[in-house]
Amino acid sequence: MIAALIGWSTNWLAIKMTFYPLEFIGKPPLLGWQGIIPSKARKMAAISVDATISKIGTVQEIFDQIDPKVLAAHIIYTVDPRIEEYVDELMLREYPSFWENLPASARKMVYDRVRKSTPQLVDNLVDDISDNIEDLLDIKGMVIERLARDKKLLNRIFLECGDVEFRFIINSGLYFGFLFGLIQMAVWYFYPAIWVLPLFGLLVGWATNWIALNVIFRPLHEHKVGPLRLQGLFLKRQPEVAESFCHIVTHEILTVGNIINSILEGPKGDRARNMVKKHIKPLVDETAGMGKALTQMAFGPTGFATLKNQVGEKAIQISQSSFNNPVFEQDRARAVESIMVERMIALSSEEFQDLLRPCFQEDEIKLILVGAFLGFVAGVCQLVFVFGEAFF
């Protein structure tokens, strides 16, 4: 019974030490602990991306699944009711006297011209981004940055995908520990040496962790042994895990809002911003053309150039804020999720195991050694407190 308890407790602690605490507690670098996953968040995120997202969808495929036409329609739907508000806000900030003194009929002409030109402008802009999406969007970098910043989310991906396996690891410590305990009991009965209990405690702490980890991932492919079909527990659940993983990724990481922000703020953000401004400039020129002499005289050449730049900046701001709509984001997330789940289910066992395997491989020996050490300590305690009178 004590061996079973040692097996269960060491396995439970091994899982906890894999994920917690999120930040280092103690005195670095040696006196203290940080969960293995959080301590190497960037590396673990990179491994996860390489093992999954990079194999189940290219940047172009993901963007096409979001559907550029739907994006354009959503932007127009969001912007159109607020055209007057946007124009007023910009003009009153930059040229308040000019705008306030402009006749209402002239302001209405500006509103109408902007409203009329917006659909074509947005379509052209989204098409341009779609054609250059491979260069503008670094999905791997985007996901890694997100998970490296949010260690709790990184933990969640592993914990939700491997929930069944982690529970098995903990509970198997009880079963395997009990079996080792029967052997220990027999050895102790015939040979009650002082080293037997500490040694078996160490073996139980080490072996229960090692066996549990191997049962999860081995055998890699299904083998038939009589009526039994043997395969690693995690690999058997490939369809279920694929749905869980892809749901988190598409609904919390690869959202439309995050993708647009990554395009505009990422490594190629300057190019994306210039692309927006390039498509906005004709709108300003065309709108000002209704009274070009008046606007040139009111703003001057420099002021007019500044106005174009400010309109471009406003367009970028609108682009980033247009997707703060949970209903729209969930709809697009489901569209991307469907193709990713299908691709992930089709991965080979060798490729699929890499989703969860890295979280154990990284410092796996540490977990096994911690289990062995704790088992040894428990064996010593058992020797001292249960059989102490006979030896000491």
Side-chain angles (χ1 to χ4, degrees):
M1 294 300 293
I2 291 176
L5 184 61
I6 291 172
W8 181 90
S9 59
T10 54
N11 284 18
W12 176 86
L13 188 62
I15 296 300
K16 290 300 179 185
M17 291 177 70
T18 301
F19 297 100
Y20 302 104
L22 293 177
E23 303 298 336
F24 191 91
I25 293 179
K27 190 174 181 180
L30 298 176
L31 296 176
W33 185 262
Q34 181 181 12
I36 291 173
I37 301 296
S39 69
K40 301 185 178 181
R42 186 170 294 277
K43 181 179 179 181
M44 298 303 296
I47 292 172
S48 180
V49 172
D50 287 337
T52 53
I53 296 173
S54 61
K55 295 178 181 177
I56 60 180
T58 65
V59 174
Q60 190 67 58
E61 286 174 330
I62 290 172
F63 197 74
D64 287 345
Q65 202 66 22
I66 290 174
D67 196 338
K69 293 188 184 303
V70 174
L71 284 185
H74 179 74
I75 293 172
I76 295 165
Y77 172 79
T78 304
V79 169
D80 189 75
R82 301 180 65 182
I83 291 290
E84 289 86 350
E85 177 188 334
Y86 291 141
V87 173
D88 285 345
E89 178 189 338
L90 184 64
M91 294 303 292
L92 288 172
R93 186 177 71 237
E94 299 297 326
Y95 304 100
S97 299
F98 170 80
W99 192 246
E100 287 177 350
N101 291 315
L102 199 67
S105 58
R107 288 203 296 270
K108 186 177 183 304
M109 287 176 65
V110 173
Y111 300 146
D112 291 343
R113 182 60 63 94
V114 173
R115 179 171 277 111
K116 181 181 176 183
S117 303
T118 297
Q120 188 60 52
L121 182 155
V122 171
D123 283 341
N124 292 341
L125 172 59
V126 173
D127 286 344
D128 200 1
I129 289 175
S130 181
D131 291 340
N132 294 276
I133 193 65
E134 294 279 359
D135 183 55
L136 294 174
L137 179 61
D138 175 15
I139 277 191
K140 180 176 179 178
M142 169 189 165
V143 176
I144 290 173
E145 284 300 321
R146 174 83 165 87
L147 293 178
R149 287 196 314 268
D150 192 344
K151 295 169 186 173
K152 190 174 181 180
L153 178 60
L154 179 62
N155 271 1
R156 255 189 64 211
I157 289 177
F158 287 115
L159 286 168
E160 290 193 17
C161 290
D163 177 60
V164 172
E165 287 68 37
F166 294 132
R167 280 190 277 115
F168 169 79
I169 288 175
I170 294 171
N171 293 332
S172 68
L174 196 69
Y175 315 140
F176 295 135
F178 183 79
L179 293 176
F180 277 109
L182 293 177
I183 300 171
Q184 176 189 17
M185 181 175 66
V187 172
W188 177 256
Y189 181 79
F190 292 105
Y191 192 75
I194 194 170
W195 52 266
V196 169
L197 294 180
L199 176 63
F200 268 90
L202 183 149
L203 289 174
V204 170
W206 173 80
T208 52
N209 279 351
W210 185 86
I211 292 172
L213 291 175
N214 277 277
V215 169
I216 287 174
F217 298 107
R218 297 292 180 270
L220 198 58
H221 300 285
E222 186 177 85
H223 292 284
K224 290 185 68 176
V225 180
L228 300 177
R229 295 176 179 271
L230 302 179
Q231 189 179 18
L233 298 179
F234 181 67
L235 304 168
K236 283 182 179 179
R237 296 195 312 115
Q238 189 161 342
E240 181 184 339
V241 174
E243 289 184 9
S244 178
F245 175 82
C246 294
H247 183 81
I248 294 175
V249 169
T250 54
H251 285 73
E252 299 192 43
I253 302 174
L254 294 181
T255 64
V256 177
N258 286 344
I259 287 174
I260 297 299
N261 284 332
S262 183
I263 290 173
L264 294 172
E265 305 291 345
K268 297 297 180 70
D270 288 342
R271 186 186 172 198
R273 288 168 174 269
N274 289 333
M275 199 176 286
V276 174
K277 292 177 181 180
K278 178 188 77 175
H279 286 279
I280 287 292
K281 283 178 181 177
L283 171 63
V284 181
D285 288 333
E286 184 183 346
T287 305
M290 297 183 299
K292 193 162 188 177
L294 178 62
T295 52
Q296 291 280 19
M297 187 168 61
F299 304 149
T302 305
F304 192 60
T306 300
L307 177 62
K308 285 184 181 181
N309 186 63
Q310 291 300 323
V311 172
E313 290 295 333
K314 185 63 181 177
I316 292 168
Q317 181 186 334
I318 292 169
S319 299
Q320 291 178 293
S321 62
S322 292
F323 301 103
N324 297 331
N325 182 323
V327 175
F328 177 78
E329 291 231 317
Q330 288 179 21
D331 176 68
R332 292 299 85 204
R334 282 192 292 268
V336 178
E337 182 181 0
S338 62
I339 186 174
M340 290 183 73
V341 169
E342 183 181 329
R343 298 273 180 83
M344 195 166 180
I345 291 174
L347 290 176
S348 67
S349 295
E350 288 85 354
E351 293 172 316
F352 180 70
Q353 71 163 344
D354 288 340
L355 170 60
L356 194 65
R357 186 65 174 150
C359 82
F360 293 112
Q361 283 178 319
E362 198 67 29
D363 289 344
E364 180 179 296
I365 188 64
K366 281 186 183 179
L367 295 176
I368 293 176
L369 289 177
V370 166
F373 173 74
L374 292 174
F376 177 80
V377 171
V380 171
C381 291
Q382 185 180 13
L383 177 69
V384 172
F385 295 113
V386 179
F387 300 100
E389 291 184 4
F391 287 95
F392 304 107

